[in-house]
Amino acid sequence: MKISTRGRYATRAMLDLALHYGKTPILLKDISTRQAISLRYLEQIISPLVAAKIVVSTRGPRGGVMLARPPRKIKLSEVIQVLEGPISPVECVENPGICTRASSCVARDVWTDLARAMYGVLESTTLQDLAERQEKKRAGRELQYNI
Amino acid sequence: MKISTRGRYATRAMLDLALHYGKTPILLKDISTRQAISLRYLEQIISPLVAAKIVVSTRGPRGGVMLARPPRKIKLSEVIQVLEGPISPVECVENPGICTRASSCVARDVWTDLARAMYGVLESTTLQDLAERQEKKRAGRELQYNI
DNA sequence: ACAATGTCTATAATAATAGTAGACATATAA
DNA sequence: TTATATGTCTACTATTATTATAGACATTGT
């Protein structure tokens, strides 16, 4: 029951963009370096986010990518759904038609509970939350070094 | 972020056993038929559950498999963990050592939140809960037919 | 003894994942 | 207006995971 690298890399890339929000466009190359993700693979991950209008991009010199909205307006659930598809552990949760047993299936009820729990966490976490946690950690680390 | 057929089939098989708890051993063949799972594949799914002592088996004529404990003492989290491994969306949650960034990674914190939410649902659901829900559904359907 | 069970190990087909690569489109600045 | 710095699109490939199927074996009741 793992999330793939696409969802994970997307999350890291979006956090990177959130930490640079409000400035000039960010180069994919720089995200690639900072997050240790191959540029070519990163492109494929950013692309659907652009299509979903969560990220905007500009080409050419001085181009790059930026968040389309403020970090507090972007929920992690959106990002994950774009890269991973529906947030549910089993397809029959969102699409009962694929299984004739769906209506009487108790297992499906549990998978639905599980889906809701997962969704709840991702829905209540924004990029801003991530950026703030990051900032807090960084500050914590600096304090440590100064002791 | 899907659960595989192994975890899903295991859940259905265990529910099947829960519904027959307290009786004679149940044939894998019968579970296979009722749950529409190939016998050969079902064997591979039950086997680790036997190894984990959640299921006991007896060979030979009149043999079969049974729950090792009453349904209310078996949590779904146990079953899933046996078939799917740790309940977490990313390996670094349970094993931080695999990633050098783990200690400073904010994404990992979210994956940890997610893991906890998932675990919570599966930990609080027992086979007895499943069996009861099933029974309730069955009764509901019969009532419908009698109207 | 034999038939009815579960067990173990190997193999294979298919699909998903995780990338790599090349050609292309667009925008800026000299 | 041309060179260059960007992002975009599509195709391909290697590896791994999933989802089984199959054969030989072990055990036990009658």
Side-chain angles (χ1 to χ4, degrees), chain B residues 69-121:
Chain B
R69 312 194 294 271
R72 77 190 158 76
K73 293 284 193 182
I74 301 179
K75 297 182 246 182
L76 194 48
S77 56
E78 298 179 68
V79 176
I80 297 299
Q81 281 178 102
V82 167
L83 274 299
E84 300 271 329
I87 297 167
S88 89
V90 159
E91 197 185 336
C92 66
V93 168
E94 68 266 19
N95 183 5
I98 60 162
C99 180
T100 57
R101 301 160 171 254
S103 71
S104 64
C105 182
V106 178
R108 178 171 176 271
D109 293 348
V110 180
W111 307 141
T112 304
D113 292 346
L114 191 53
R116 263 198 268 274
M118 294 163 71
Y119 194 75
V121 171

Side-chain angles (χ1 to χ4, degrees), chain A residues 4-6 8-9 38 40-41 44 59-62:
Chain A
S4 75
T5 54
R6 304 184 85 233
R8 293 192 276 134
Y9 290 178
S38 110
R40 244 55 203 289
Y41 195 28
Q44 290 180 48
R59 302 198 223 197
R62 313 288 294 163

Side-chain angles (χ1 to χ4, degrees), chain A residues 112-133:
Chain A
T112 303
D113 292 347
L114 191 52
R116 263 197 268 275
M118 294 163 72
Y119 195 75
V121 172
L122 299 177
E123 185 80 355
S124 67
T125 305
T126 68
L127 293 186
Q128 170 124 9
D129 295 331
L130 290 188
E132 281 170 5
R133 291 199 203 179

Side-chain angles (χ1 to χ4, degrees), chain A residues 133-145:
Chain A
R133 291 199 203 179
Q134 175 91 320
E135 187 50 36
K136 204 169 285 182
K137 281 209 176 188
R138 201 194 49 70
R141 274 200 306 284
E142 291 201 346
L143 198 62
Q144 267 195 327
Y145 295 146

